[in-house]
Amino acid sequence: MSATTEPTALISLRERLAELSDLGSIGSLLFWDQNTMMPPAAAPARAEQAATLERIVHGRLTDPGLADLLDALEPWVADLDPESAEARLLAVTRRDVEKAVRVPADLAAEITRASALGQQAWLEARASADFTRFRDAFARQVDLRHRYVACFAPFEHPYDVLLDVFEPGLTVAELRPLLERLREGLVPLVRAAADPPDTPRHRLLDGPFEVEDQRRAVSLVLEAVGFDPDGWRLDPAPHPFAQSLAQGDIRITTRYDRHDLGSALYAGLHEFGHGLYEAQIDPAFKRTPLGEPVSLGIHESQSRTWENLVGRGRPFLGWLLGQLRESLPGGFDGVGADDLFRAVNAVRPSLIRVDADETTYNLHVVLRVELEIALMEGRLEVDDLPAAWNAAVERLLGVSVPDDAQGVLQDVHWGAGMIGYFATYTLGNLAAAQLWERVRRDLDIDAQLARGEFAPLRAWLAEHVHRHGRRYTPRELLVRATGGELRIEPFLEYLEGKLVAAGRLRAA
Ligand code: ZN
């Protein structure tokens, strides 16, 4: 059989994969609705709907007919270039099938149901700042993760199995030294650059600005950077996220606080970066596993690029200030771009990860990963988690935790069973800085951003990152785009450069 005509088995495979992709999009729509529109009383029913859908997806992915098609295509694919889209499609599909087959359908559905219910338990526990009300739901999640991990024996480390869900191929052996070296670089940097704890916050973006005015101002900024009203939506959500439902259907969210325009603006830019990644995946990959983002670490590198590398950089802020002066008249009288640059690059050790500045942020991640590994190794019991959390915050950030809501209960991830996820935030920050070095070499990026020209950056990201979808592994993608494996140095150098420019560090 020639490699130029598609064998019938491939046509049948594509039909099955398109249906699986549609089912995945329907699941995404349920998730989007749950987090934007759904009344809270629907949570138990939504948990059942999500579990039912998961059972259907799991059934189709583990259907022996699908594996038979892959087997039938083996001789054909052997003649293809291993980097061709067809060869990669088969490899990625086989990987998905082999992982799904290992997990019994009941366990897969149970994990999905527990995720929806665990989020509800977390919400209630957080509202009362009481970990004991979350304890049983979390213990259930840890137990389910142990059962999931057991499906993949033998493995080098149990946490490797969980990391692989979010960052394919990542291992503890690789992650632990990376985070240790990052921690060693960051702790003294925070000490040297941080404001003393009682310094008043910079108030430049605190308004007050009416929510409707903020919504209009943020929309204008997002449309300038690349939000397309014909194919995107922007809605409010208490915990902002992005969801791609299909080609031409990108949903992003942000949150509004009358006294914090920065929150709406930077969450909006962050989620825009996620949305743009999915919007720019090669249309030829649509409704196949290649048409999906390759990993959460790479995904986060894209959100951080727009939120931080672009959004908190001096060139962009000069342009932004002009925009804000027009859309929020009177709100920025007497404010200069350098003032804004210093205000959005303050360094202050704090309790809440999502509000943390770029310098302290990754220490929040380091502490979560340390605790998760200890839980999975059995060195830490669920009941001891709040105390271990509080001690780690004190050790890494030098602040003391007043209650569980501002401590161990602050993030939804553990309620949803997402153990192994947090590391991808730091991988994203590191990868964004490493990609940015390359952007700076290839584009006249500072001048472009200062003029409000975003098309060249969007095109660069499409070419080097977005369009590939899952065609390359996260590691391959980064090596192709930057010439090397993930390193901490580009991030630390970027951070030091910015802290010097903001007058927080003396040049070395
Ligand atoms: Zn993100």
Side-chain angles (χ1 to χ4, degrees), residues 34 45 64 69 77 94 106 121 129 132 245 263 268 294 336 375 384 412 449-450 492:
Q34 178 167 10
L69 287 172
V77 79
R94 188 170 286 282
D106 286 348
T132 59
L245 301 185
S263 171
V294 69
L375 277 168
D384 299 329
V412 64
L449 295 179
L492 289 176

Side-chain angles (χ1 to χ4, degrees), residues 240-242 270-271 274 296 299-304 307 353 361 421 425:
F241 65 97
H270 181 101
E271 303 308 338
H274 282 307
L296 290 190
H299 224 314
E300 191 70 1
S301 77
Q302 297 311 294
S303 58
R304 290 305 206 174
E307 178 191 0
R353 175 186 62 85
Y361 182 91
Y421 187 117
Y425 291 126

Side-chain angles (χ1 to χ4, degrees), residues 273-388:
H274 282 307
L276 187 67
Y277 179 11
E278 303 210 17
Q280 296 203 116
I281 294 176
D282 188 340
F285 296 163
K286 73 180 178 202
R287 295 175 84 214
T288 82
L290 292 188
E292 293 162 13
V294 69
S295 74
L296 290 190
I298 296 295
H299 224 314
E300 191 70 1
S301 77
Q302 297 311 294
S303 58
R304 290 305 206 174
T305 293
W306 290 92
E307 178 191 0
N308 289 336
L309 285 297
V310 173
R312 288 190 163 87
R314 177 61 183 79
F316 176 85
L317 289 166
W319 170 85
L320 177 72
L321 189 59
Q323 299 289 305
L324 295 179
R325 282 207 181 105
E326 271 182 41
S327 53
L328 297 165
F332 293 90
D333 292 347
V335 174
D338 289 328
D339 304 325
L340 196 54
F341 176 66
R342 279 190 293 273
V344 301
N345 288 295
V347 180
R348 135 193 330 263
S350 62
L351 293 164
I352 307 294
R353 175 186 62 85
V354 295
D355 297 332
D357 57 79
E358 277 178 279
T359 311
T360 57
Y361 182 91
N362 294 292
L363 294 173
H364 291 263
V365 174
V366 166
L367 88 89
R368 286 158 176 75
V369 174
E370 284 176 358
L371 294 174
E372 287 185 346
I373 292 177
L375 277 168
M376 292 311 293
E377 286 180 346
R379 287 185 288 111
L380 177 64
E381 296 298 326
V382 168
D383 288 315
D384 299 329
L385 185 60

Side-chain angles (χ1 to χ4, degrees), residues 434-445 460 480-484 487:
Q434 192 163 322
L435 288 163
W436 197 248
E437 282 191 337
R438 190 62 195 270
V439 167
R440 299 195 70 87
R441 282 210 298 274
D442 290 355
L443 302 178
D444 189 12
I445 188 68
W460 191 96
R480 288 174 64 95
T482 72
R487 298 157 57 228

